[in-house]
C-alpha cells in the first residue's frame, strides 16, 4: 500500500491552477498565445470528507472549439509553516475536455497579500502526459490578479472576483 501511495505521489503530480486551499472566485483569464479567453471560477464544496476543506475549480474556453478544465481538490495539510509563511499541501483530481485526467499534489505558499502555487506531474491525455504549472496571485480585496503558466498555455493573466 505504501508503494502504491508513493507511486501516485510521484507519478500523479498534475493539478489545475490556484492555491491548494479552496476559494470562491469568478473571473476571466486571457492567454495571449492564440488570443484565448477563459471563463474561470472556483467554489468551496459543501461536503468535507474526513473534515478537510474541499473545492472545485474550473475553466471554460470562450470560443467555437470547446475546451474545459475542472479540478476537484482537497486541502490535506493547511497549517504548515515554512520560514514563518503559511504553506498548504493539497491533492486533486484534474479532468480535461478533450479527454484528460491527472491526479496529484498542489503546493501553495502564502505571502503577505498574495499566494504562490506550484504543481507538476503525470497523467493521461492522449497517452502519458506530463503536466506542470506555476502561478502568483495578488489579493486586492474583493479582487485578485493572477499570472500563471501551465502545460495548457505558456502564459495567462487572470482577474478574479472573490467572495
Amino acid at each position: 500500500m505504501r508503494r502504491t501511495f508513493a507511486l501516485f505521489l510521484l507519478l500523479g503530480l498534475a493539478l489545475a491552477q490556484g492555491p491548494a486551499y479552496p476559494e470562491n472566485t469568478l473571473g476571466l483569464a486571457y492567454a495571449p498565445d492564440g488570443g484565448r479567453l477563459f471563463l474561470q471560477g472556483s467554489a468551496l464544496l459543501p461536503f468535507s470528507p474526513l473534515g478537510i476543506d474541499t473545492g472545485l475549480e474550473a475553466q471554460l474556453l470562450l470560443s467555437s472549439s470547446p475546451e474545459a478544465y475542472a479540478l476537484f481538490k482537497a486541502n490535506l495539510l493547511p497549517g504548515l509553516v515554512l520560514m514563518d509563511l503559511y504553506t498548504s499541501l493539497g491533492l486533486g483530481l484534474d479532468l480535461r475536455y478533450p479527454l484528460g485526467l491527472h491526479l496529484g499534489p498542489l503546493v501553495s505558499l502564502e505571502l503577505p497579500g498574495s499566494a504562490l502555487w506550484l504543481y507538476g506531474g503525470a497523467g493521461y491525455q492522449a497517452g502519458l502526459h506530463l503536466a506542470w504549472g506555476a502561478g502568483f496571485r495578488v489579493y486586492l480585496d474583493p479582487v485578485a490578479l493572477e499570472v500563471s503558466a501551465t502545460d495548457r498555455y505558456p502564459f495567462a493573466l487572470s482577474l478574479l472576483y472573490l467572495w
Side-chain angles (χ1 to χ4, degrees), residues 45 56 63 82 87 107 155:
L45 292 177
L56 170 66
S63 76
L82 178 66
T87 305
V107 177
F155 177 75

Side-chain angles (χ1 to χ4, degrees), residues 1-128:
M1 185 66 176
R2 282 188 198 166
R3 288 183 182 170
T4 303
F5 183 70
L7 181 63
F8 274 107
L9 284 178
L10 292 174
L11 295 178
L13 297 174
L15 294 178
Q17 62 191 47
Y21 47 87
E23 296 178 306
N24 290 322
T25 66
L26 183 61
L28 293 173
Y30 177 70
D33 69 316
R36 298 186 294 172
L37 187 65
F38 295 91
L39 180 61
Q40 180 175 327
S42 61
L44 295 168
L45 292 177
F47 59 93
S48 294
L50 306 173
I52 56 177
D53 292 334
T54 57
L56 170 66
E57 195 159 310
Q59 277 190 342
L60 178 63
L61 179 62
L62 299 175
S63 76
S64 58
S65 60
E67 185 178 316
Y69 181 78
L71 169 69
F72 297 93
K73 59 185 174 180
N75 193 9
L76 299 178
L77 300 171
L80 299 174
V81 178
L82 178 66
M83 299 183 313
D84 295 334
L85 299 171
Y86 288 105
T87 305
S88 296
L89 178 62
L91 182 68
L93 176 64
D94 165 359
L95 303 171
R96 301 175 184 197
Y97 178 82
L99 183 62
L101 174 73
H102 303 88
L103 176 71
L106 173 67
V107 177
S108 60
L109 179 66
E110 295 179 43
L111 304 168
S114 61
L116 174 69
W117 56 266
L118 303 166
Y119 74 88
Y124 177 83
Q125 187 165 340
L128 181 61

